[in-house]
Structure formats: C-alpha cells, structure tokens
Amino acid sequence: MGDAGDDVPVRVFLETDRLVLRRVTEADVDNLVELDGDPEVTRYLTGGGPTPREVVRDEVIPGWLPFYERYEGYGYWVAVEKTSGEFLGWFLFRPNPEGRRSDGTPREGVELGYRLRRAAWGKGYATEGSRALIRKGFTELGVERVYAETMTVNTASRRVMEKAGLRYVRTFHDDWPELIPGAEHGEVEYALTKTEWEAGPAAMAGYGYEGSPG
C-alpha cells in the first residue's frame, strides 16, 4: 500500500478478494494525474482531454477530502490491487451534492461511480468494487437506493452497471459545458433498490466479497 506515501496513514474503507479501497491522500496526485492523462480513460468525461496537475492538486483532491468528515461512510475511494499494492483507479459512493439535474429531475439515493486505469480494464475490477460498495451500502450504511449515470454511448460502463445488479431506468439529456462526441445521444441512469438487491441472486453470492469477480 506504499502508493499513498510512506508517511501518510492509510485509511482502508473496505476490501474484496482482489481490491483494497482506501481514502485518497495528497500523495495520490501523481497517480490521479496519470489516470486522467489517458485519453481513453477520459473519452466519455472530457472528450479525451487530461486534467492538469494543478487542478488535481489544488481542486480535485481538496474537493474529495471533506466528504469523509461530512458524510460518514461515503466519499471517493482509491482502489489498489491487494497483492501488489498497485494503483488501479478510484470509486465513488456518495450522496450527490447536486440534488437535481439540469432538467429538474431529482438524484435519488447514493451515487456509484468508478474510473480505472486502462491496464485494469476487462479484469472485473470495476464490477467487483461496485458490488462490494453496493453491499456495504445496503447492509451497513442504511442506503435504500443506489444509482449510476454515464453517457448512452459508453457501453463498457453500462455493462459494469448491469453486472453490478443495477437496472436501466431512463435516458435523459443534461447540460454539458462543452459537447463531446456522443453527447447528442444523452445519458442513462441505472439504479438498484435495497429491496431489489435482497431479492436478487447477487445477495446469495455475497455480492463481490466471495466468488467470481467478473
């Protein structure tokens, strides 16, 4: 777990078969800059543009840190590979501070999100981490509904949502500061309620803590 810096205490949030999810620290700046420097990673976020280092250092990380104090059990979580300690990316599991979308519809429940290095794609990490967060939310944090959003054309992210147990709710059009390719097709919302989760096969499988990580 040395990627957080030798003099920075690591605050682990949860572990799965292959992942450790921990709090972000100021020592994560290099990893986060590298993550957002891959145009394939940011393709459906900024159209492929990188996030400048000073923005990560002075805005992104300082914006994430208060979540841990403001919302007990919620926030942004750095994901590392359990065996090697390798940085893989991050997950978010939080109440969205913007309670409504630009079209006036409410954001109901706790938001799930993820951003992983390209080298970590296709290995089931996003699904494994998402299932574990959903399980923790429903069994320990009192969450009643989890939702996730992505661009309609982001089929890979939509597959992760489906594998994590979320179901398609709707397509909507939100305001973008700058339109990127595919934005004209809108965005999609997927969601899962605690009642649905308890009734589904994911609950029987331990939901990401045991068994298949795919």
Side-chain angles (χ1 to χ4, degrees):
M1 228 76 65
D3 64 324
D6 294 336
D7 58 346
V8 179
V10 173
R11 299 285 298 274
V12 173
F13 181 60
L14 63 78
E15 298 184 27
T16 69
D17 289 343
R18 301 181 297 166
L19 302 175
V20 173
L21 271 59
R22 61 161 175 80
R23 291 188 179 190
V24 68
T25 76
E26 294 176 352
D28 288 308
V29 61
D30 289 338
N31 284 326
L32 295 174
V33 170
E34 179 184 2
L35 176 67
D36 279 13
D38 185 337
E40 286 300 308
V41 171
T42 59
R43 177 182 177 187
Y44 297 112
L45 302 165
T46 64
T51 306
R53 180 183 180 83
E54 59 270 19
V55 173
V56 174
R57 183 192 63 216
D58 300 335
E59 298 179 28
V60 174
I61 293 178
W64 289 3
L65 291 175
F67 267 91
Y68 308 127
E69 308 306 325
R70 187 183 312 150
Y71 302 105
E72 182 67 31
Y74 300 111
Y76 291 78
W77 311 102
V78 168
V80 299
E81 204 279 324
K82 182 183 288 187
T83 302
S84 66
E86 178 185 6
F87 172 86
L88 299 177
W90 54 262
F91 290 81
L92 72 84
F93 196 69
R94 60 163 194 182
N96 195 304
E98 299 178 3
R100 290 186 177 272
R101 304 176 183 87
S102 60
D103 64 359
T105 56
R107 288 185 163 96
E108 299 177 348
V110 172
E111 182 181 15
L112 169 71
Y114 35 80
R115 189 177 305 177
L116 301 182
R117 297 172 57 200
R118 200 186 325 181
W121 294 359
K123 299 179 180 179
Y125 290 128
T127 302
E128 184 172 339
S130 295
R131 287 176 172 175
L133 286 166
I134 291 169
R135 181 180 190 274
K136 189 175 183 72
F138 287 148
T139 61
E140 299 179 27
L141 302 177
V143 174
E144 293 296 329
R145 184 180 191 267
V146 174
Y147 74 93
E149 299 173 352
T150 190
M151 290 181 66
T152 299
V153 295
N154 191 350
T155 55
S157 185
R158 295 179 68 169
R159 282 197 297 271
V160 170
M161 295 174 187
E162 292 165 357
K163 289 179 180 179
L166 279 69
R167 304 172 184 179
Y168 170 80
V169 176
R170 68 188 186 109
T171 299
F172 64 96
H173 291 266
D174 213 343
D175 286 340
W176 287 73
E178 295 183 23
L179 287 180
I180 63 176
E184 66 274 14
H185 299 289
E187 298 179 65
V188 288
E189 176 186 0
Y190 282 69
L192 178 67
T193 66
K194 182 178 181 180
T195 300
E196 292 168 340
W197 177 77
E198 289 175 335
M204 299 171 59
Y207 226 52
Y209 282 78
E210 304 289 344
S212 171

